[in-house]
Amino acid sequence: MSDMSSMSRELKKDQLRRRVISPGGPQRGTPREDSEEIVKQARHTVRRRRVIMALILLVLAVTGVTANYWYKRNYFYKEATVVWERKFERDEAGFVDYEAYGDNLLRFSKDGASYIGTDGKDVWVQPYEMRDPITAVNGDYAAVADRQGNKIYIFDKSGLLGTATTVLPVIKITISGKGLVAAIVEGQTASHIYYYMKDGTELKIYITGFLDGEIGYPLDISLSPDGTMLMGSYVYLEGGEVKNRVAFYNFSEVGKNAPDRFVGGFHEMYGSSMIPRVRYLDSVYSVAFADSSISFYSSLDVMSPVLLKQIPIEEEIRTIFYGSQYAGVIVKTVAGEADSRLDLYSLEGNHIFSQEFSFDYKYVDIDGENIFLYNEDSCRIYNRFGNLKYEGTFDFPVSKLCSGSFSGEIIAAGPQAVKKIKLH
């Protein structure tokens, strides 16, 4: 019995020795190690599930964006619902037109101007008397001048900022995105371009041109959004022949280093081709519409503008149009079933699409990615891919179409009414 007890005690001691934890930490196969392994596996599983979920969400997001892209590109609106309507008195002898401005419309007439907000109500009204009002709009700023008159009214979205008075009659105006106004005024022997601050104060900056002089006679002008660059179309005489050019001027601090602030001129590619319209599309890119071409320029180097591309047009140009991202023309086609073709170009002059059509339009506007072809009682709307998005008629005379605040909304305006319309 003694031997058996002794053996039992030795066995118990041996079992205890095997259970003792060594100073180096837990040994392989211990409960603590098993617990840590389980935690690691759980964390790995959680991470894997998170990665899988993120991939699923990414696929859903890409699918949603792609579906929305194709929806906007190809969906054709079939119905139109009036969201709100504002009517005007029928006595509109002084009515002139509308311009897309701010969040909605600038309405101008011989008797005054008003800014119509997104709810159809007047944000402000400015009375005046003009024989032939003309307008210029750039971002939050607008100007209204009396052609062959001497007054220029300058506005922002809060109302009248100032009034400029000219000594010579105004021919054309342009406005920058900061409210600076440039005006072509005409004298008996020369034409001048004068500058006015947004409060109407005249700046001591001007350009004088003569038809038979080095500069020439300005047909059209456009200010860059910051107002430091001026682009002009000029006609001049050389050797008894009438020629045309596009010129750039820089009125910033660096422009002082250039003679008469002249930083770029282009004439060889135009010859006798008239250039009735020039426009800055954004702070860098600009476009010149001639009677047989479209030219795209870059002012990335403000001291040396460059011609990016000149696109010759062999057909008769019926209409030109431009926005902040695109420019285009509608030409008369000579063959085929359609009698017109719409050509759209990017800021750099890259061709985006051409679309033939037969539609008796009177007006063309581009607002955002919508291209509006319309007359007083009907319209067609194309997107930037050349797809027809909507075709419909109006129950009142329309002289202006533009995009609304949200996708699928348009604003239709005329002498008798303004309507916000939701397309479905």
Side-chain angles (χ1 to χ4, degrees):
M1 290 293 293
S2 171
D3 292 338
M4 292 296 293
S5 297
S6 177
M7 291 176 63
S8 177
R9 285 195 297 271
E10 290 298 326
L11 287 171
K12 289 180 178 179
K13 290 179 181 179
D14 187 54
Q15 289 176 354
L16 287 171
R17 281 194 294 268
R18 286 198 295 265
R19 291 178 183 175
V20 172
I21 299 174
S22 66
Q27 302 299 307
R28 184 179 295 176
T30 64
R32 180 175 175 182
E33 185 180 55
D34 292 342
S35 176
E36 289 182 351
E37 185 65 26
I38 291 172
V39 171
K40 288 180 180 179
Q41 291 179 357
R43 288 175 177 172
H44 177 71
T45 302
V46 170
R47 285 195 297 267
R48 184 173 60 184
R49 287 178 177 174
R50 287 177 177 173
V51 170
I52 293 173
M53 182 60 68
L55 289 174
I56 292 173
L57 292 175
L58 178 61
V59 170
L60 290 175
V62 171
T63 302
V65 171
T66 303
N68 185 57
Y69 169 82
W70 285 103
Y71 174 83
K72 288 184 176 181
R73 174 170 177 165
N74 298 302
Y75 184 79
F76 180 79
Y77 296 105
K78 298 178 181 178
E79 298 180 359
T81 303
V82 176
V83 178
W84 55 253
E85 175 182 4
R86 178 180 175 184
K87 294 184 178 180
F88 299 100
E89 296 181 3
R90 291 189 174 274
D91 184 14
E92 292 293 341
F95 170 77
V96 178
D97 212 341
Y98 296 87
E99 287 286 352
Y101 170 64
D103 300 317
N104 205 32
L105 290 172
L106 175 71
R107 188 174 193 265
F108 60 101
S109 70
K110 296 180 179 181
D111 302 319
S114 62
Y115 171 35
I116 301 174
T118 55
D119 57 358
K121 298 179 181 179
D122 289 330
V123 178
W124 51 257
V125 178
Q126 177 61 48
Y128 55 66
E129 292 185 3
M130 293 186 183
R131 293 173 295 177
D132 185 12
I134 54 176
T135 61
V137 172
N138 197 332
D140 293 338
Y141 292 92
V144 182
D146 191 7
R147 184 168 13 218
Q148 295 294 341
N150 305 98
K151 292 291 184 180
I152 304 173
Y153 292 79
I154 306 167
F155 307 92
D156 68 2
K157 293 198 296 184
S158 64
L160 182 67
L161 297 174
T163 303
T165 301
T166 65
V167 176
L168 299 171
V170 175
I171 305 301
K172 282 191 175 182
I173 59 171
T174 181
I175 191 168
S176 76
K178 295 185 177 181
L180 179 71
V181 173
I184 300 176
V185 297
E186 191 171 48
Q188 291 184 348
T189 60
S191 62
H192 312 271
I193 298 174
Y194 286 101
Y195 289 79
Y196 303 91
M197 297 177 63
K198 58 186 177 182
D199 64 358
T201 303
E202 181 182 339
L203 294 172
K204 300 303 179 182
I205 301 174
Y206 61 91
I207 302 170
T208 298
F210 301 87
L211 183 62
D212 57 354
E214 184 178 351
I215 296 176
Y217 179 88
L219 295 179
D220 195 28
I221 54 174
S222 179
L223 282 170
S224 62
D226 65 0
T228 60
M229 297 288 291
L230 176 83
M231 178 187 193
S233 163
Y234 290 86
V235 58
Y236 64 100
L237 290 175
E238 184 178 83
E241 295 183 6
V242 177
K243 295 187 177 182
N244 299 267
R245 67 159 60 100
V246 169
F248 290 87
Y249 296 86
N250 187 313
F251 291 97
S252 67
E253 283 297 314
V254 297
K256 291 180 178 180
N257 300 322
D260 299 323
R261 297 186 177 267
F262 177 79
V263 293
F266 304 85
H267 60 276
E268 293 181 357
M269 69 285 297
Y270 293 112
S272 61
S273 181
M274 300 286 285
I275 314 164
R277 186 63 52 87
V278 294
R279 278 296 178 272
Y280 262 96
L281 303 176
D282 68 3
S283 59
V284 173
Y285 299 103
S286 54
V287 62
F289 295 93
D291 53 23
S292 59
S293 66
I294 312 176
S295 302
F296 292 86
Y297 294 90
S298 170
S299 299
L300 188 61
D301 182 350
V302 295
M303 294 301 291
S304 183
V306 296
L307 173 66
L308 296 176
K309 189 175 294 186
Q310 184 178 43
I311 301 165
I313 299 177
E314 298 179 356
E315 302 93 335
E316 175 188 344
I317 297 177
R318 301 183 64 179
T319 316
I320 65 170
F321 59 95
Y322 47 86
S324 60
Q325 303 178 63
Y326 309 99
V329 294
I330 295 178
V331 301
K332 184 177 181 180
T333 55
V334 295
E337 297 181 0
D339 58 11
S340 299
R341 189 186 72 244
L342 186 154
D343 297 327
L344 187 69
Y345 300 91
S346 69
L347 297 174
E348 301 89 347
N350 298 321
H351 179 258
I352 297 177
F353 76 82
S354 292
Q355 177 66 52
E356 292 190 347
F357 66 92
S358 292
F359 178 66
D360 186 20
Y361 72 93
K362 184 178 180 180
Y363 310 102
V364 181
D365 283 306
I366 183 167
D367 190 0
E369 297 190 352
N370 291 324
I371 303 169
F372 300 96
L373 305 180
Y374 57 105
N375 51 44
E376 290 186 347
D377 54 23
S378 60
C379 75
R380 282 188 178 185
I381 303 175
Y382 291 89
N383 63 12
R384 66 182 180 90
F385 303 102
N387 296 328
L388 182 64
K389 299 293 292 179
Y390 178 72
E391 185 173 19
T393 59
F394 307 112
D395 58 1
F396 70 107
V398 169
S399 60
K400 184 66 177 180
L401 274 182
C402 63
S403 299
S405 303
F406 300 99
S407 177
E409 287 184 349
I410 62 173
I411 306 297
Q416 300 175 6
V418 176
K419 296 183 181 183
K420 175 181 277 191
I421 298 171
K422 178 66 176 177
L423 303 178
H424 306 277

